[in-house]
């Protein structure tokens, strides 16, 4: 699901990556909010608070919201920069580095929470927003802007537009594409919600607190190497079948 890019990507590929990454985003969103009472997957609310502080001349107070916004932006920039930097290297999966960095950030935050008191919550929120910027950028690049997984406002807008277009078949005759888009958006919303429920359950009921982020990182790492594992498995099966054919032919 991470290997296929551009025209080679199908709805199936986008559905797979959308469900996994939206599920991870849901976990991070709930875990961040329960820990620090801040949104950690999007910057819309932070931007509103930043403008409010500027309007009331509380410039220093508004600085932290600027840092939140910048962290998400920098994550998005770095992810895209790494993808562009290494896309000519055919031997390297260009989405490897952003995903590994995101996983590493989630694991480090979780492990540190067990060793030290998390006094600098604003720094942790910035790190989580940076990680979500990385994720949103890489999934946008890999799907040609078809999939976004860290916030729902645009998704609900697009879903409403797509559903409305079903009532106008003359203007929008490609019904199959519309249905595919609707299916994709519904999957993202459902799995973001499911990730949030899972994150809340792990955080509160199982009392894992920030260790819940390790579960999210684990899902990311499995999905990242899924293609390589599947490819090697298929290759091994083919070699095994070829050897059997050769043995039967020589008998």
């Amino acid at each position: 699901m991470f290997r296929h890019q551009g025209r080679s990507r199908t709805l199936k590929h986008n559905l797979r990556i959308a469900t996994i990454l939206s599920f991870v985003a849901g976990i991070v969103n709930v875990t961040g909010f329960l820990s620090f009472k801040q949104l950690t997957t999007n910057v819309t609310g932070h931007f509103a608070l930043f403008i409010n502080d500027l309007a009331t001349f509380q410039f220093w107070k508004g600085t932290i919201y600027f840092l939140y916004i910048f962290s998400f932006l920098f994550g998005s920039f770095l992810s895209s920069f790494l993808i562009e930097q290494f896309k000519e290297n055919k031997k390297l999966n260009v989405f490897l580095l952003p995903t590994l960095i995101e996983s590493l950030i989630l694991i480090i935050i979780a492990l540190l929470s067990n060793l030290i008191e998390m006094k600098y919550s604003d720094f942790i929120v910035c790190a989580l927003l940076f990680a979500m910027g990385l994720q949103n950028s890489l999934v946008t690049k890999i799907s040609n802007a078809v999939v976004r997984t860290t916030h729902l406002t645009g998704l609900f807008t697009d879903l409403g537009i797509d559903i409305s277009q079903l009532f106008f078949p003359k203007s929008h005759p490609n019904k199959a594409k519309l249905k595919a888009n609707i299916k994709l958006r519904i999957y993202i919303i459902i799995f973001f919600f499911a990730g949030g429920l899972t994150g809340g359950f792990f955080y509160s009921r199982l009392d894992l607190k920030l260790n819940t982020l390790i579960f999210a990182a684990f899902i990311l790492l499995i999905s990242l190497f899924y293609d390589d594992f599947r490819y090697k498995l298929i290759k091994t099966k083919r070699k095994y079948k070829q050897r059997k054919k050769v043995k039967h032919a020589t008998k």
Side-chain angles (χ1 to χ4, degrees), residues 111-222:
L111 293 179
L112 283 177
S113 70
N114 298 315
L115 301 174
I116 60 174
E117 187 180 349
M118 306 299 275
K119 292 182 179 179
Y120 305 103
S121 60
D122 290 331
F123 177 77
I124 305 301
V125 172
C126 284
L128 290 175
L129 283 164
F130 173 79
M132 290 297 98
L134 282 166
Q135 177 176 303
N136 207 42
S137 181
L138 79 88
V139 78
T140 300
K141 295 273 292 181
I142 197 172
S143 68
N144 285 331
V146 173
V147 180
R148 286 184 175 84
T149 58
T150 62
H151 50 277
L152 300 181
T153 308
L155 273 171
F156 275 104
T157 302
D158 293 337
L159 180 61
I161 292 170
D162 289 338
I163 292 172
S164 72
Q165 289 177 351
L166 287 175
F167 293 91
F168 301 93
K170 289 184 179 179
S171 303
H172 305 279
N174 196 343
K175 197 173 182 179
K177 186 180 178 182
L178 271 177
K179 286 185 175 180
N181 287 338
I182 291 169
K183 182 180 179 180
L184 178 63
R185 301 189 207 293
I186 290 174
Y187 267 58
I188 295 172
I189 292 166
I190 289 172
F191 276 86
F192 189 91
F193 181 70
L197 285 177
T198 303
F201 179 78
F202 278 32
Y203 187 97
S204 302
R205 290 287 183 177
L206 300 184
D207 201 32
L208 292 181
K209 304 302 180 186
L210 283 171
N211 287 312
T212 306
L213 296 175
I214 294 178
F215 178 62
F218 184 65
I219 293 171
L220 274 175
L221 292 173
I222 289 176

